[in-house]
Structure formats: structure tokens, C-alpha cells
Amino acid sequence: MSGMTSGGTGDEPIVYIVDDDDAMRHSLEWLLTPLGLAVRSFASADAFLAEHDPGRTACLVTDVRMPGMSGLELHEELVRRGAVLPVIVISGHGDVPMAVRAMRTGALDFIEKPLNNQLLIERIQQALRLAHTRREETRETDAIRARLAALTAREREVAQLVAAGKQNKAIAHVLGISLKTVEIHRHNAMEKMAATTGADLARMLTLVGGVG
Amino acid sequence: MSGMTSGGTGDEPIVYIVDDDDAMRHSLEWLLTPLGLAVRSFASADAFLAEHDPGRTACLVTDVRMPGMSGLELHEELVRRGAVLPVIVISGHGDVPMAVRAMRTGALDFIEKPLNNQLLIERIQQALRLAHTRREETRETDAIRARLAALTAREREVAQLVAAGKQNKAIAHVLGISLKTVEIHRHNAMEKMAATTGADLARMLTLVGGVG
DNA sequence: AGGCGGTTAGGGGTTAACCCCTAAGCCGCG
DNA sequence: CGCGGCTTAGGGGTTAACCCCTAACCGCCT
């Protein structure tokens, strides 16, 4: 469930900025762009949610206090949506409970204004590295999921039983079909999944959560 | 690397309290004990580090400001030591950076004084549930590690190659020994590891990080 | 010196996995 | 209606895995 949105090759990392304050957005753009970072900024959480590309290697820098949806609510909404992009929350009038809430939601950091530019840049670079790592980690599982989706229903059933270490005979008994048929499905599944051995198949399915 | 300390059966969860303020410690004891919770309190981080049982299902409630090692330093030291117990940090004079630091270190929560007893109890119960879950998760891997340690060097080598999906013939070639010998080691390894199939073995070794 | 655990190796047989080929019934789509 | 994809199934052969038994060599400890 990641990385299969917006097929473009746009793989350079991007920094999303969400802040209702025009001056702050521009100031951040002026700070980050010279570093060779791609920046895309939004004046509201809704604008960000509507227009950003969830499939991209990116991080988000969001202010807390904004008209409409707050930065914290935006963060929580992203988590609800299963987003994986690292989030840095900034705030002009933050307090401890607010910071704790942001961190519990999974923010990489909660930074108070006035911003320490050096610290912010460091965090953003850390966030992008993290985004890249997560992307790498999901790359293989995405490929596996894609191949898994190409299996027929029967092949998937057989594949799961194979991955569980059952032998063909047992699988045939469980599914109420012939040993020969199991061998066919097993072979097709292994081929479609590009698995060399049964252990390979098992590894792939557990990576994807095929056991449940 | 967990749960193999202090062999006692003491499996009822315990709440560790670290605070230099006698009144606060006693107040927490009086709050928690009536709930049926085992409580053990310490007046300093050093005392806690010296006397607590790292193998136990437990959580830690620690104040930040204390003579000697602070609560944050204690938390960081525990993380360095690979501890897995959930930590709740409480503070009378906390600020945002302090809260962020605690949360980044992995605290479950950072709570300001005066304490909201109901909230604290809730968090402690959540922490103990989490500790229990983590313990369950490490229980199997601990058992696997123990069985793995009972293998001879040769058996471990063979087991890893088996788990990698290699067939006996290939393993024999790699190790420069006879197919027969591989079969013996394989059989012994499977028996000692209580694995029914090669896939089982693979699962165990990856759980323990046997591939890395 | 004898015993014990680890490593090595073979004989011989059974079962399971894998490979190639054929083939039939079913269902949807052009 | 025929074609293709999915599922079903068998024949027949090769290879690999698994099981039981014997047996040698080495190092270490009693």
C-alpha cells in the first residue's frame, strides 16, 4: 500500500510546507531552495491533502495553528490514511501537551518558533533520509504485492499453504483437489512470484503479511 | 536478549517509580497499590539502575529533575542498554524541548505536575499492557535463541544455509563436506530447533536475525 | 584407558518434489 | 460460436529429501 500512486519518475525528494503565514512559507522556501531541495508549499491543510502526491519521497513541515484544520489534526489525518512521510511540526505558541501530542502521533520533531534554521535544515535532511529509507523498504514489498495480485485465487490459496510449509499432499487434501492440480498451481505461483524455492515464497508472503 | 535474567517466576507486572521527592513517591505508592499494582520505588536513577530487575514485565515512572542523573538521562541510559520497558516521564517544571527530548527517546508520555491521577493511572495501565505485549513478542525469539545456542558450530552453519533455501547438495559443496554429513547436521539442527520443515527453520532464523 | 560429544561418511530404501506432455470441463468475451 | 484463461487431472521419469543403521576419527575429561 505505498508507492503505487502517480506513475511519474519524479524521485527527487520534496519538502512539503504547510503554513497559513505567507511570509513564513516564503522564508522557508528561500531557506531550503538554495540547498537544492525541491519545495512545495500550501497555505492550508486541506490544500495539502488535496494536492500533494502521497507516492513521493518527501517530508512535511507544518505549522500547528492555522485556520481550519490544525497542523496536529493534519498529522493525525495523515496517520489515519496510512501515510508514511516524516512530519516535522513547528509552532509559535506551543506548550508541553501540544508537543507531546505531536510526538505521540509520530512527529519526527516539534520545533518552537523562532526557528533555528540550522536545526530545521538538519531535521529536514534527517526526515528526507528517513523517507528514502522507508521507500526502499516498501519498494520490495510493493513489487511482491503486485506479483501476488497477478495470481489467480487458487494459486494464492496454494501459495499460502506452501509458504506455511505444508506439503503438496496435505494441500491437496485440505483443498479437496488432486495432488497433480496442486503441483500445477504451485508451479504457476512460484513462477509468477519469481520465487526460486518454497522458502522464498514463505519469506515474500510473511513480508507482505500473507499469514495474518 | 531479553527475559533471561532473574529466573524467578515473578511474572506479575511491576511499576517502578524513580523520584527524589519522598512525598511524591509515597503518594504514588498510595495511589497505585490499592489498584492491585506492585510498586517499587527508588530515590535516585542510580539506585534504580542498580536494583531493578531488567527481566521483569514492568514500566517506569520517573521524574525529570533529580540530584545526580536526571530522569531523561536515566531513560537514555536504559535505551542504550537495550531496555524495552515503557517509560513515563513526569515533570514539575517541564518545557517543550524537554518534552520533545523525552518523547524522541521513546517515552510513552511526558506528563506535567500537578499530576492528573486518572490520566496517570491510564498511562501506567497502557504501559503495562505494552510491556506485556513486548514480553510476549520476545518470548518466542528468546526460546529460539536458546535453542540456537544449543546447536554446534557445524549445525548452525548448515541450518543457516538450509534456511537460505539451499539444497543439501549445494550446502555440501559450499562447506566442502559430503552430502551425507549435511543430511546428518540438517537433521540434528531441525530436531534441536524443534522445526518441522525447512521453512520453519527459515522463519525462526529470520525472526532472530540469522541472515543479516 | 575408556567414555562422550562432535564431525565425518556410506548403504539402502521410502516418500515427496519437480519437469514435460496431454487433456477435459467451464466461463466469459468478441 | 470459437478462443483464451482458469481449474482440474493423469502418466511417466528424474532428482532431492528423509529415515534407520553402521562406523570411523578426534579431542577432551574422568
Side-chain angles (χ1 to χ4, degrees), chain A residues 167-180:
Chain A
Q167 40 194 168
N168 294 352
K169 197 176 160 190
I171 296 172
H173 183 256
V174 169
L175 297 183
I177 57 182
S178 152
L179 173 63
K180 266 312 187 193

Side-chain angles (χ1 to χ4, degrees), chain A residues 25-46:
Chain A
R25 284 202 311 282
H26 295 149
S27 147
L28 286 176
E29 286 173 11
W30 293 339
L31 171 68
L32 300 173
T33 305
L35 297 176
L37 293 171
V39 178
R40 183 123 157 63
S41 55
F42 305 84
S44 76
D46 286 322

